[in-house]
Amino acid sequence: MAATKASKEQKYDRQLRLWGDHGQESLESAHVCLINATATGTEILKNLVLPGIGAFTIVDGHTVSGEDVGNNFFLSNNSIGKNRAQAATELLQELNSDVSGNFVEESPNKLLDNNPEFFNRFTIVIGVQLPESTCLRLDSVLWSASVPFLVCKSYGLIGYMRLVVQEHSVIESHPDNALEDLRLNQPFAELKNHIQSYDLDSMDKKDHSHTPWIIIVAKHLERWLSEHNLQPPKNYKEKEAFRQFIREGIRKKENGVPEDEENFEEAIKNVNTALNPTKIPSTVEDLFNSEECNDVTSQTPSFWVMLRAVKEFALNEGNGSLPVRGTIPDMIADSQKFINLQNVYREKAMQDAAAVSKHVECLLQSIGKVGYSTYIANRRCRCLGKNSSFLRVVRCRSLAEEYSVDTVNKDEITSSMDNPDSEMVFYLMLRSVDRFYQQHSRYPGVYNYQVEDDISKLKLCVNSLLQEYSLNVNIKDDYIHEFCRYGAAEPHTVAAFLGGSAAQEAIKIISHQFVPFNNTFIYNAMSQTSATLQL
Amino acid sequence: VALSKVFGSLRKELHDTLSTCKVLVVGAGGIGCELLKNLVLTGFKNIEVIDLDTIDVSNLNRQFLFQKKHVGKSKAQVAKESVLQFCPTVNITAYHDSIMNPDYNVEFFRNFMLVMNALDNRAARNHVNRMCLAADIPLIESGTAGYLGQVTVIKKGLTECYECQPKPTQKTFPGCTIRNTPSEPIHCIVWAKYLFNQLFGEEDADQEVSPDTADPEAAWNPEDTAARATASENDGDIKRVSTKDWARSTGYDAVKLFHKLFKDDIMYLLTMDKLWKTRKAPTPLVWQQLEDSASPQELSAGSGLKDQQVLGVWGLCQLFQHSVETLRSQLQEMGEGAELVWDKDDPPAMDFVTAAANLRMHIFSMNTKSRFDVKSMAGNIIPAIATTNAVIAGLIVLEGLKILSGELESCRTIFLNKCPNLRKKLLVPCILDPPIANCYVCASKPEVMVKLNVHKTTVLSLQDRILKERFGMVAPDVQIEDGKGTILISSEEGETETNNSKFLADFGIRNGSRLQVDDFLQDYTLLVNVLHTEELERDVEFEVVGEAPDKAPSPQTTPEEVNSVTNGNKDSAQPSTSSKAEDDDIMIVDSEEENEGASSSTAAATSGTKRKHSDAETGETSTKRPRTDQSSAAAAPTDDDDDDDIITLD
């Protein structure tokens, strides 16, 4: 077992540096369903099998054709005539022996007819090159089962993704420029004591120049507050004055020239970071105020129970603040001083996490849930505590909402279409092509001799779509011609692009790390542009 | 729309081009594997691929043409075989070789209609750039790092070349910082890697680890420095035996090594008291004391995630002892005269560096680091995943199709963001910039000015440090423009080696001298104007005029940023597409900005003026790079203008 772990650590080393061991664990316990092993489908799955998902199941009722082999790396000439799910599973399985591959030789429609619960078991369902009607059926089944659904399509030079998830919680959103959580404006008791233990004036020179900047700022802030009616420096001018105040704390040589104290320079540089007031971010405040957080019942998902516990913490032990994050940036200091300071924050973070954990226990008891693993709870609470300012909940609309005349997001569509070449036009074209398929049971332009005929037929579909939704927008004829020319082709390089981006979104969903897009993504391979739309 | 006509169904002309044209893929790593697959399935029939590297376990999470059974084999060869298994009808030629090998000359490059780089190091990128300029073949350059990536197109005379925008030179650390006065963890890690080579690997005079008695800062006056330097050279007692010989004579006794490195050498450093006037002095370690005072916890080595753990001092001692013993027996098994090569993915080698670096960090009052973090820094590890490479390789082929259908003007530089930016764009395409007129590579008569001390710079360091390392040449010939055409350096073996140890002044080179430098392989001539100066900083050998001097790396180095402060291993001009110690698929195109973007406003400011993103299709105009875009926006809510982690742009 230990050996396996070590070899996995080696194999996955480069990705563990992005999502950590726990991200990898989530990945390894995920079961992904792919509907349709087309080029786009197998490319997506390849990028999930390589980093090591637990299992996949391919659902596909098609038989492999020569055309499939032409653009799909995971189907070979020998697979022609075989079921596509089976053939692709065999080759994808070879990529990673840690992944278990399964297949179902049936069309999704048939499964939906006979066994709609089939799809409930998956961590995520990825549907590729599906007609509108099947998408809508899956949408309804998966929406009520709370299984995330990712719809993907490569159509000529256009890539399309749509994420359908009722609610997706993100504990580790990995923001790019997270502010530090230092609590200098309202130090907790242990931090106060620790600051007290320093006396900058009586230190010898070396200790003085190896005191962490956090202590330096805290010490100067204390004195500043007492001299300024307990008001911290607020605006630029006051902060400048505060910086000057710190600068005066630098030791002087006998000749009056200031010593070269890098830690003080660091303190001056970090004044903004240090004075950043401790407060609950509005995104988290909103979550606290939401119904799910306040009405915890036995049906409430664990994320909300934990969130409620964090809220309870903030209202009680936290005195209006979130749990302490417990990490401090690297800084100039000698090891001992740094470690001591780090421990003050770390221990406080552990304490806070334990308090949150207690609240979780109480809440669970109050809703009659027992036997919940406290081990897991403790570990998750620590993670939650560390990330409490970055918690995010993504709520997408269902496809049903997007497609209904009553709930269509007309504003987003019409405002984007102010620019007639915006990526929105491709969304409208894809919808029109779907409509074409519904009416003719084939896509426009698949046969060369029909292209001209199909152009006028597709134009009718475009117009009926716009009419149905009373969209007062103009779609250039060029786009209609172009979509006919595509002939529903699935060029490999577009499939490869989408394979990468869709797998990335799936990993976000599975690991609950990083924020997925909400809710539609369009890629235009012609101009190499992309856009996300909220539909 | 015209393009879509071509691509939409891959019209016949383009299809014919694809099936007849020959293309070159340089590198068969993360991007290379994806690229080969995409090319074959797009209809390319004649592909050549070159890669020096062999397959490692850590490649398998993304380089899908390789499996466990292929570990240790040639990447190019296995990639070819795997692709042929699926698509037996294409012609693929694989070279398990360095692209910098002279066999791949301008004639070789002229065989191709298109060259695509899927490289991991700047030296090879520079070289291929020059070869493609010389052969006038279009080049697609690409790179990824974690979730970020980019693709760009280079065509002689029409676009910027890879070297038009000066890339910050790789940070190399002054010898005395490494040997005497480390102030950051990276200094200790570099020291530990040197130590590994001194003890177990190939000894290198530039990788000394013992105290540097000639440190100019330690001495009272210049004469004294000189005297000390001579003294240490003549000093027969202390360490004129090589470190390795000495270690061998002790039988690689871990405790004896420990005491020499972490006690005796440190005590010696303490005698150089001038160094510690302003710095915190190091504390020597004594094995027995550490063992006696080890906490019971430490004695029963911790369980759990070994990689992420930060060990205590005694734990480090044990790790040191254990790894020395393992490496010693490895060396013994290999027989007389054997040498080990440091590899971040080799566990005992990594353990050794973790232990030695951390012990030194402890001695110099730095915060110690986990093995996981040390590995990032020591190996210049850049996270890499399948998804980003897939996206980038998809973009490369589309750019390639545009080039082959004669639509070069519609090619773009494309940046891939981590997530959609504030304008909701995951991809940011930018129009290609024209060449920079005074680029020292692609200008019609390239010229540079170099500041150096003609009395202190040897011919060898002109060749190795300046011409090869800094200006990316492979085999330079140098002629002095003194009216006599004196040959200073000849790339022919045995012609000018006797010049190597002489100083430039010995050949009459002085302020204002001009050197004509030719690299025959790269078909590249550079005129070097010498500016003599006596005022270079400690340990700086030369400066290229008009370039910002190296900036010290920021103290808060996160793993992601590490590749901008490598110790010359990644981007040194070693003639290889990638050496054992390197990682693959690293983004070098502008990667330094990428990496420094978050912490350095100067980098952001220069990059801000650099790119003109005007995206006709979307009506978007911006002069910012996508990454800095995000950071500046995210930073906006804070009120001030001068904080360290905030970038002000435009």
Side-chain angles (χ1 to χ4, degrees):
Chain A
M1 182 63 206
T4 345
K5 178 142 190 164
S7 78
K8 272 192 180 172
E9 241 173 40
Q10 243 187 319
K11 180 161 88 176
Y12 297 133
D13 182 87
R14 302 302 184 268
Q15 68 201 41
L16 292 176
R17 286 163 203 280
L18 290 173
W19 51 67
D21 293 293
H22 55 298
Q24 188 64 28
E25 265 168 45
S26 318
L27 216 55
E28 287 174 19
S29 49
H31 190 169
V32 176
C33 174
L34 169 71
I35 303 174
N36 284 342
T38 70
T40 308
T42 55
E43 288 298 307
I44 297 171
L45 209 46
K46 157 182 139 281
N47 296 328
L48 293 172
V49 169
L50 286 169
I53 48 169
F56 67 83
T57 296
I58 303 183
V59 172
D60 196 336
H62 294 87
T63 304
V64 179
S65 69
E67 211 178 312
D68 283 331
V69 175
N71 74 343
N72 195 326
F73 195 77
F74 297 95
L75 299 172
S76 67
N77 272 322
N78 321 342
S79 11
I80 294 179
K82 278 197 206 169
N83 170 270
R84 202 163 64 180
Q86 179 189 359
T89 300
E90 282 165 11
L91 292 180
L92 282 163
Q93 176 81 77
E94 277 182 25
L95 294 177
N96 192 341
S97 54
D98 298 329
V99 179
S100 127
N102 314 280
F103 60 92
V104 176
E105 303 172 64
E106 255 182 274
S107 77
N109 280 324
K110 222 166 166 191
L111 272 174
L112 285 165
D113 290 339
N114 301 330
N115 180 15
E117 293 83 41
F118 171 83
F119 293 101
N120 298 0
R121 72 193 69 175
F122 298 109
T123 320
I124 182 171
V125 174
I126 303 173
V128 179
Q129 313 294 86
L130 288 171
E132 184 180 306
S133 57
T134 314
C135 277
L136 285 167
R137 288 184 74 187
L138 282 163
D139 173 68
S140 122
V141 167
L142 296 172
W143 184 263
S144 48
S146 298
V147 175
F149 181 32
L150 185 60
V151 184
C152 301
K153 191 173 267 187
S154 302
Y155 198 98
L157 290 181
I158 302 301
Y160 163 87
M161 287 195 279
R162 168 69 155 92
L163 178 64
V164 188
V165 57
Q166 269 204 52
E167 181 184 290
H168 175 72
S169 57
V170 186
I171 294 180
E172 291 162 89
S173 56
H174 297 276
D176 265 339
N177 292 278
L179 295 165
E180 300 290 345
D181 181 26
L182 301 177
R183 310 282 166 122
L184 291 181
N185 65 328
Q186 43 187 76
F188 43 91
E190 296 84 347
L191 180 57
K192 243 186 211 156
N193 291 340
H194 186 71
I195 297 168
Q196 286 307 323
S197 72
Y198 277 85
D199 180 2
L200 290 177
D201 297 332
S202 69
M203 280 176 161
D204 75 23
K205 200 169 110 186
K206 264 166 205 157
D207 278 333
H208 196 259
S209 61
H210 288 84
T211 298
W213 68 256
I214 291 182
I215 302 288
I216 297 172
V217 171
K219 284 282 181 195
H220 286 80
L221 187 61
E222 249 172 43
R223 277 176 49 199
W224 173 281
L225 290 174
S226 68
E227 288 165 21
H228 293 81
N229 272 332
L230 300 179
Q231 290 303 304
K234 288 200 184 82
N235 51 35
Y236 178 74
K237 216 178 127 193
E238 286 170 13
K239 283 182 186 173
E240 260 313 293
F242 184 59
R243 287 190 184 96
Q244 188 50 40
F245 182 51
I246 296 177
R247 198 167 281 125
E248 282 156 16
I250 297 177
R251 288 270 169 97
K252 305 247 172 2
K253 294 179 190 161
E254 281 157 26
N255 60 7
V257 177
E259 295 277 358
D260 193 12
E261 295 193 308
E262 284 178 283
N263 55 337
F264 273 73
E265 294 303 330
E266 220 176 39
I268 292 164
K269 242 173 51 178
N270 279 295
V271 158
N272 254 349
T273 310
L275 295 178
N276 185 48
T278 312
K279 59 177 181 228
I280 303 181
S282 60
T283 45
V284 177
E285 197 77 71
D286 290 347
L287 293 177
F288 281 169
N289 292 332
S290 68
E291 206 180 304
E292 293 88 338
C293 183
N294 292 317
D295 295 334
V296 170
T297 70
S298 58
Q299 305 304 311
T300 305
S302 61
F303 172 80
W304 290 105
V305 176
M306 293 201 296
L307 193 81
R308 173 63 179 276
V310 174
K311 182 179 178 178
E312 292 298 326
F313 171 88
L315 292 175
N316 296 291
E317 301 92 332
N319 290 320
S321 298
L322 294 172
V324 166
R325 196 177 305 157
T327 53
I328 57 174
D330 215 346
M331 60 191 73
I332 293 165
D334 60 66
S335 299
Q336 208 47 53
K337 291 195 186 69
F338 180 81
I339 292 169
N340 291 343
L341 180 63
Q342 197 179 36
N343 284 341
V344 169
Y345 282 97
R346 187 180 287 160
E347 274 158 27
K348 175 67 175 157
M350 303 266 267
Q351 249 179 52
D352 287 0
V356 172
S357 189
K358 272 250 158 57
H359 285 293
V360 171
E361 250 171 69
C362 289
L363 283 163
L364 288 174
Q365 231 159 37
S366 74
I367 55 173
K369 269 195 180 174
V370 277
Y372 186 72
S373 160
T374 44
Y375 166 71
I376 293 178
N378 283 338
R379 218 173 73 167
R380 290 191 70 183
C381 285
R382 269 210 290 281
C383 187
L384 194 72
K386 247 204 214 143
N387 290 287
S388 54
S389 338
F390 317 127
L391 299 173
R392 295 280 296 272
V393 170
V394 175
R395 293 192 175 93
C396 297
R397 302 211 309 157
S398 67
L399 280 182
E401 287 171 281
E402 175 187 335
Y403 281 55
S404 154
V405 176
D406 303 322
T407 49
V408 63
N409 190 348
K410 261 171 79 174
D411 288 348
E412 173 97 355
I413 297 174
T414 43
S415 66
S416 305
M417 286 301 289
D418 284 349
N419 168 12
D421 296 313
S422 108
E423 280 79 6
M424 185 63 85
V425 74
F426 300 113
Y427 166 73
L428 294 172
M429 284 311 304
L430 287 170
R431 292 286 305 273
S432 306
V433 161
D434 271 339
R435 192 161 283 232
F436 186 106
Y437 183 88
Q438 244 167 3
Q439 286 170 14
H440 307 282
S441 299
R442 64 175 176 85
Y443 287 102
V446 278
Y447 303 108
N448 272 335
Y449 67 93
Q450 286 175 328
V451 171
E452 286 307 311
D453 262 4
D454 284 356
I455 289 176
S456 46
K457 285 184 186 155
L458 181 56
K459 196 164 182 172
L460 288 175
C461 294
V462 171
N463 290 336
S464 85
L465 179 86
L466 298 181
Q467 224 157 43
E468 186 182 326
Y469 292 103
S470 7
L471 290 165
N472 186 19
V473 302
N474 178 36
I475 294 182
K476 291 187 201 163
D477 277 355
D478 283 352
Y479 290 112
I480 298 171
H481 288 232
E482 203 176 297
F483 267 70
C484 277
R485 269 194 308 271
Y486 289 160
E490 196 181 343
H492 183 79
T493 168
V494 176
F497 175 93
L498 212 57
S501 359
Q504 193 52 56
E505 292 307 312
I507 291 170
K508 289 181 191 170
I509 297 284
I510 293 167
S511 63
H512 287 261
Q513 292 188 36
F514 302 95
V515 184
F517 70 89
N518 184 4
N519 51 27
T520 303
F521 173 86
I522 303 275
Y523 165 58
N524 175 359
M526 225 181 315
S527 57
Q528 306 273 45
T529 53
S530 75
T532 47
L533 313 168
Q534 202 150 19
L535 295 165
Chain B
V1 178
L3 265 177
S4 86
K5 195 164 180 177
V6 183
F7 293 119
S9 48
L10 277 179
R11 295 268 165 235
K12 198 172 172 310
E13 310 87 74
L14 183 57
H15 186 82
D16 290 348
T17 312
L18 297 192
S19 50
T20 53
C21 79
K22 211 193 252 187
V23 296
L24 175 65
V25 174
V26 189
I31 296 177
C33 282
E34 296 283 337
L35 189 53
L36 285 171
K37 166 189 64 90
N38 293 355
L39 289 171
V40 165
L41 290 172
T42 303
F44 287 84
K45 296 279 183 225
N46 301 290
I47 302 168
E48 303 203 351
V49 58
I50 180 165
D51 198 314
L52 176 75
D53 222 350
T54 53
I55 297 158
D56 186 87
V57 185
S58 65
N59 300 146
L60 302 180
N61 78 327
R62 62 197 185 284
Q63 299 176 14
F64 72 99
L65 297 173
F66 313 141
Q67 293 169 21
K68 218 165 222 162
K69 62 180 180 212
H70 298 128
V71 168
K73 292 188 176 161
S74 152
K75 282 189 175 179
Q77 197 56 40
V78 175
K80 169 190 161 171
E81 285 158 18
S82 299
V83 171
L84 286 181
Q85 238 180 4
F86 290 92
C87 312
T89 58
V90 292
N91 302 311
I92 301 179
T93 309
Y95 304 93
H96 180 200
D97 204 348
S98 161
I99 190 65
M100 288 165 94
N101 182 322
D103 290 348
Y104 310 108
N105 53 17
V106 176
E107 282 314 304
F108 172 81
F109 276 83
R110 287 209 180 106
N111 288 327
F112 304 100
M113 268 182 93
L114 177 63
V115 175
M116 285 159 278
N117 270 352
L119 280 165
D120 64 353
N121 68 96
R122 198 192 293 163
R125 281 184 163 102
N126 285 344
H127 181 75
V128 176
N129 175 49
R130 291 164 192 206
M131 297 309 287
C132 288
L133 289 171
D136 197 9
I137 303 296
L139 168 66
I140 304 181
E141 173 62 63
S142 61
T144 65
Y147 298 111
L148 307 172
Q150 77 181 78
V151 176
T152 192
V153 171
I154 296 169
K155 177 73 170 67
K156 184 181 182 177
L158 293 177
T159 72
E160 281 187 349
C161 83
Y162 179 67
E163 294 165 270
C164 270
Q165 296 291 345
K167 316 268 182 297
T169 44
Q170 279 302 298
K171 183 73 199 166
T172 49
F173 300 102
C176 15
T177 305
I178 300 297
R179 293 167 66 182
N180 293 357
T181 52
S183 58
E184 292 169 25
I186 185 71
H187 301 148
C188 300
I189 291 169
V190 168
W191 178 86
K193 277 173 73 178
Y194 286 178
L195 178 64
F196 179 93
N197 283 341
Q198 296 289 341
L199 291 178
F200 309 106
E202 191 185 348
E203 284 175 281
D204 180 340
D206 286 338
Q207 299 192 347
E208 267 298 331
V209 289
S210 51
D212 180 4
T213 49
D215 190 333
E217 228 195 298
W220 303 98
N221 54 53
E223 294 83 53
D224 204 9
T225 312
R228 273 185 193 242
T230 336
S232 78
E233 264 159 40
N234 299 333
D235 192 343
D237 296 335
I238 303 185
K239 49 198 172 309
R240 284 316 92 193
V241 208
S242 84
T243 314
K244 197 181 201 170
D245 291 338
W246 176 78
R248 204 180 284 144
S249 74
T250 70
Y252 284 100
D253 181 316
V255 178
K256 280 190 185 146
L257 285 177
F258 182 96
H259 274 143
K260 160 151 173 47
L261 298 164
F262 303 116
K263 194 185 92 202
D264 299 346
D265 281 357
I266 303 300
M267 307 242 281
Y268 188 86
L269 280 178
L270 286 171
T271 65
M272 299 159 79
D273 49 357
K274 221 187 163 191
L275 293 176
W276 317 114
K277 289 252 161 198
T278 52
R279 295 184 178 88
K280 180 136 179 142
T283 325
L285 297 177
V286 181
W287 184 273
Q288 197 54 50
Q289 278 174 13
L290 294 169
E291 184 167 16
D292 293 344
S293 59
S295 64
Q297 251 167 298
E298 266 188 295
L299 286 169
S300 61
S303 58
L305 295 169
K306 189 171 147 240
D307 239 27
Q308 311 267 4
Q309 222 177 10
V310 179
L311 293 171
V313 185
W314 179 241
L316 292 170
C317 294
Q318 286 171 304
L319 188 65
F320 179 80
Q321 183 173 34
H322 187 75
S323 58
V324 167
E325 280 162 8
T326 315
L327 292 168
R328 173 187 59 198
S329 47
Q330 273 184 9
L331 207 53
Q332 271 166 358
E333 272 169 39
M334 291 165 67
E336 190 62 29
E339 280 169 353
L340 299 179
V341 176
W342 190 80
D343 177 359
K344 62 181 176 296
D345 289 313
D346 176 38
M350 196 53 235
D351 283 343
F352 176 82
V353 166
T354 306
N358 268 313
L359 286 166
R360 194 165 167 91
M361 287 182 223
H362 180 80
I363 287 169
F364 283 91
S365 293
M366 286 173 232
N367 311 306
T368 50
K369 299 214 165 276
S370 71
R371 186 182 187 277
F372 190 78
D373 289 343
V374 174
K375 185 171 174 183
S376 277
M377 300 175 80
N380 306 318
I381 291 183
I382 295 178
I385 37 171
T387 52
T388 311
N389 291 333
V391 166
I392 290 300
L395 298 178
I396 294 173
V397 173
L398 285 157
E399 291 305 303
L401 292 177
K402 288 192 225 169
I403 294 172
L404 293 178
S405 32
E407 305 261 358
L408 201 87
E409 69 282 359
S410 60
C411 287
R412 296 283 181 273
T413 295
I414 306 136
F415 298 98
L416 169 68
N417 286 328
K418 186 166 97 181
C419 51
N421 64 12
L422 292 172
R423 287 191 213 85
K424 302 186 173 180
K425 310 288 182 192
L426 186 72
L427 299 174
V428 181
C430 310
I431 286 175
L432 298 172
D433 287 321
I436 300 283
N438 60 356
C439 170
Y440 70 78
V441 175
C442 72
S444 58
K445 287 204 167 76
E447 223 175 289
V448 283
M449 284 210 247
V450 177
K451 253 194 222 173
L452 48 75
N453 185 333
V454 295
H455 304 295
K456 286 190 175 166
T457 308
T458 61
V459 173
L460 187 66
S461 72
L462 169 71
Q463 176 188 292
D464 288 352
R465 299 273 168 269
I466 303 182
L467 301 177
K468 287 190 180 174
E469 223 165 77
R470 178 61 187 78
F471 291 116
M473 298 195 189
V474 176
D477 290 283
V478 182
Q479 194 179 337
I480 309 172
E481 290 203 338
D482 54 0
K484 291 179 283 184
T486 310
I487 307 286
L488 188 66
I489 298 173
S490 163
S491 57
E492 286 298 318
E493 218 168 298
E495 288 190 354
T496 50
E497 270 78 351
T498 46
N499 292 351
N500 281 352
S501 55
K502 295 185 185 151
F503 295 106
L504 298 188
D506 298 341
F507 297 88
I509 295 171
R510 54 197 164 86
N511 191 36
S513 290
R514 288 153 73 87
L515 308 175
Q516 183 183 316
V517 187
D518 286 289
D519 190 294
F520 184 69
L521 177 60
Q522 295 174 342
D523 196 9
Y524 172 47
T525 302
L526 178 66
L527 199 62
V528 177
N529 295 282
V530 175
L531 288 179
H532 170 70
T533 179
E534 309 262 340
E535 286 158 0
L536 290 170
E537 272 178 52
R538 174 191 182 208
D539 259 5
V540 173
E541 278 180 287
F542 68 95
E543 246 175 59
V544 179
V545 177
E547 267 175 23
D550 289 357
K551 276 198 331 194
S554 95
Q556 289 102 338
T557 311
T558 65
E560 259 187 321
E561 294 171 37
V562 192
N563 64 333
S564 60
V565 291
T566 61
N567 177 37
N569 130 14
K570 172 73 61 200
D571 272 348
S572 62
Q574 268 149 32
S576 64
T577 55
S578 79
S579 76
K580 198 80 181 117
E582 288 165 350
D583 204 3
D584 52 351
D585 7 296
I586 279 136
M587 170 156 61
I588 295 294
V589 195
D590 295 335
S591 71
E592 285 73 18
E593 295 169 18
E594 206 66 59
N595 290 304
E596 292 183 359
S599 61
S600 141
S601 53
T602 49
T606 45
S607 70
T609 52
K610 190 189 131 189
R611 295 277 173 212
K612 292 175 283 299
H613 303 201
S614 68
D615 183 355
E617 286 84 355
T618 58
E620 214 184 280
T621 54
S622 158
T623 50
K624 297 170 194 166
R625 298 210 43 246
R627 175 73 183 278
T628 44
D629 228 26
Q630 291 174 348
S631 28
S632 65
T638 40
D639 55 352
D640 252 323
D641 50 356
D642 56 349
D643 207 348
D644 48 331
D645 45 10
I646 287 170
I647 302 163
T648 38
L649 270 172
D650 314 327

